[in-house]
Amino acid sequence: MVAGIRVSTLLSLGLFMVITGTTGLYVDEENPYKTGALPVQNFTLTETKDHVPRHAVVYYPARPGLFAVLLFSGGFDGAVRVEMGYTDLLSRVAAHGFVVMGVDLQSLGQAGDTRRDNLQGSPAHSLPGSPAHTFLQQMDWARTNLNSYLANRTAGVSVDWENTGVFCHSAGCSVILDTVLLNHTAMKATAFLEPFTSALSGNSTVSFRLPALMYGTQFCEDFPFCCVKGMDWNHVYDHWSCPKTTLATKNQGHCDILDHTMWEICHTTHFCKTGDVDNWAEYHTFIQGFVSAFFISTLQGVDDWRYLHNVTDIPIGVMNAKNDTNC
C-alpha cells in the first residue's frame, strides 16, 4: 500500500512537472529556417485594462513548457504598431520556443530624446521617463505578471527570466540600444535588425559582454535612405564587443520585414526601397529563421552559430557577413 502511494505520488509529481513546464527550458534542435514546430497563440495587453506601461501583444507557444522570453520594439522609435507590422515575424519566432512580447512604445505619447554622450564603455544614464526607462518598466511589469497571464490561457506555459533577449527593427533599435546601455544585466542577448541609431559615436565603445546580432539589407542604404551609413548595423557592430555577428542580405529592403499589408503600403508609396515583389514569403521564412537561430544559440543553450555564419546554410543571397565570437 505504501509502495503504491509512493508510485502514485511520483506519477503525480511527474505530471505536475509536465503541466507546469518545470521539466527544463524548451530547446529547438531543428533547422530554424523551417517553420517552428509549436502552435502559437497571442493576446493583447492594454494600459487601461492590464495597467501595463505600454500596449503590447504577446505571442506564445500554446503548449506546456518553460520558454525563453523576448521583448521587441518596432520602427519609428516603436511607433509602428506590432499588430500592424510585425505579427508574422514575432509569431513565427515564437513557434521556435519563445514567448515574445511586442511593445508599442509610443502608444501613450511620443518617444523622448534617446541621444547619448560619450560612453567610454560605461552604461549611459537615461533621463527619467525616457523610452529606455519605459522599456525597462515594461520588462519589470512582465516579470511580475506575465507568467500568470500565460497560465490563465494555456496551463503549464511559463517564462524563464534567466533567458531574456531583446530585439528591434529600424529606429526602434535606438530605444533598445539605450535600454541595453542603461541596464545590460536585464537581458542575455540582443539583436538589431536594420538599426538606425546615433547612440554610439566617436570612440565610444560597449565594453561589457552581451551577445549581439546586427543585420542589414542591400537596399536599406539606397535612396530614400531608410538606413544611414554611420548609424546602421555596421556602425553598431564596430562599436560592440565580442561576441557579435553581422550579416547583410542581397536584393532586400527596409520594409520587407513588415507584415504584407504594411509592406504593400511601403512598396506602393516608395517610402523605402523594397525587394522583389514576389519574394516576400521567401524572405520572411529567412528572417524568422535568422532571428530564431541567434536566440536559440544564445538563450536556449544550443551554442551553435552555423545557421548565422555558414553562407551555405542561409537560404537567401548574402551580401556580406562577419563575426567575432571567439572570446
Side-chain angles (χ1 to χ4, degrees):
M1 181 68 176
V2 173
I5 292 174
R6 287 176 178 171
V7 170
S8 176
T9 301
L10 288 172
L11 290 174
S12 297
L13 179 60
L15 179 60
F16 172 79
M17 292 176 69
V18 171
I19 292 175
T20 57
T22 56
T23 55
L25 182 70
Y26 179 89
V27 178
D28 186 345
E29 298 179 345
E30 302 300 321
N31 185 333
Y33 293 112
K34 297 184 181 297
T35 300
L38 302 178
V40 173
Q41 296 181 6
N42 68 78
F43 59 90
T44 300
L45 298 167
T46 66
E47 298 97 328
T48 54
K49 179 173 67 71
D50 304 293
H51 306 291
V52 68
R54 288 294 183 267
H55 181 278
V57 183
V58 177
Y59 304 86
Y60 66 97
R63 51 144 279 187
L66 180 65
F67 301 101
V69 59
L70 305 173
L71 289 92
F72 173 84
S73 175
F76 277 96
D77 293 326
V80 178
R81 295 182 74 88
V82 169
E83 56 270 51
M84 294 176 61
Y86 301 101
T87 290
D88 187 72
L89 171 64
L90 302 191
S91 61
R92 293 177 71 172
V93 170
H96 289 281
F98 300 96
V99 173
V100 185
M101 175 184 283
V103 185
D104 293 327
L105 271 170
Q106 294 198 37
S107 56
L108 277 181
Q110 299 301 311
D113 183 8
T114 58
R115 293 171 298 177
R116 292 292 169 264
D117 295 324
N118 192 346
L119 301 174
Q120 296 299 334
S122 299
H125 296 282
S126 300
L127 294 173
S130 72
H133 268 99
T134 301
F135 200 86
L136 286 173
Q137 290 170 354
Q138 190 88 8
M139 295 180 74
D140 288 341
W141 182 97
R143 285 191 183 92
T144 302
N145 299 284
L146 187 56
N147 273 335
S148 62
Y149 274 75
L150 291 167
N152 286 337
R153 285 162 174 81
T154 300
V157 176
S158 62
V159 163
D160 178 5
W161 288 105
E162 293 299 314
N163 290 287
T164 302
V166 293
F167 68 123
C168 53
H169 179 235
S170 192
C173 292
S174 183
V175 178
I176 294 301
L177 180 53
D178 273 2
T179 302
V180 171
L181 295 174
L182 184 61
N183 185 4
H184 68 273
T185 63
M187 65 285 300
K188 197 173 177 179
T190 181
F192 303 97
L193 308 179
E194 301 177 282
F196 175 82
T197 178
S198 60
L200 298 171
S201 60
N203 294 323
S204 60
T205 59
V206 174
S207 60
F208 51 80
R209 287 191 175 182
L210 182 71
L213 176 148
M214 298 81 176
Y215 170 73
T217 54
Q218 180 179 355
F219 298 150
C220 185
E221 293 180 335
D222 289 357
F223 184 82
F225 308 119
C226 289
C227 293
V228 179
K229 291 183 179 180
M231 300 182 186
D232 60 10
W233 63 94
N234 288 312
H235 169 75
V236 178
Y237 181 88
D238 290 341
H239 288 76
W240 210 265
S241 61
C242 176
K244 58 184 178 178
T245 186
T246 185
L247 178 129
T249 51
K250 297 177 180 178
N251 304 317
Q252 302 299 152
H254 195 57
C255 288
D256 294 349
I257 196 172
L258 299 175
D259 292 344
H260 200 270
T261 299
M262 284 290 289
W263 177 89
E264 285 279 5
I265 294 171
C266 183
H267 176 70
T268 56
T269 61
H270 304 288
F271 187 83
C272 296
K273 186 175 180 180
T274 53
D276 186 344
V277 295
D278 298 321
N279 193 43
W280 183 89
E282 179 184 354
Y283 180 69
H284 271 235
T285 297
F286 154 75
I287 195 65
Q288 64 85 30
F290 189 64
V291 172
S292 298
F294 173 72
F295 286 118
I296 289 168
S297 296
T298 55
L299 300 183
Q300 292 185 0
V302 174
D303 195 24
D304 182 356
W305 296 54
R306 72 181 184 275
Y307 292 112
L308 302 168
H309 295 167
N310 297 345
V311 174
T312 55
D313 289 316
I314 297 174
I316 202 166
V318 174
M319 188 169 66
N320 57 59
K322 54 185 176 180
N323 64 84
D324 180 7
T325 57
N326 296 319
C327 51

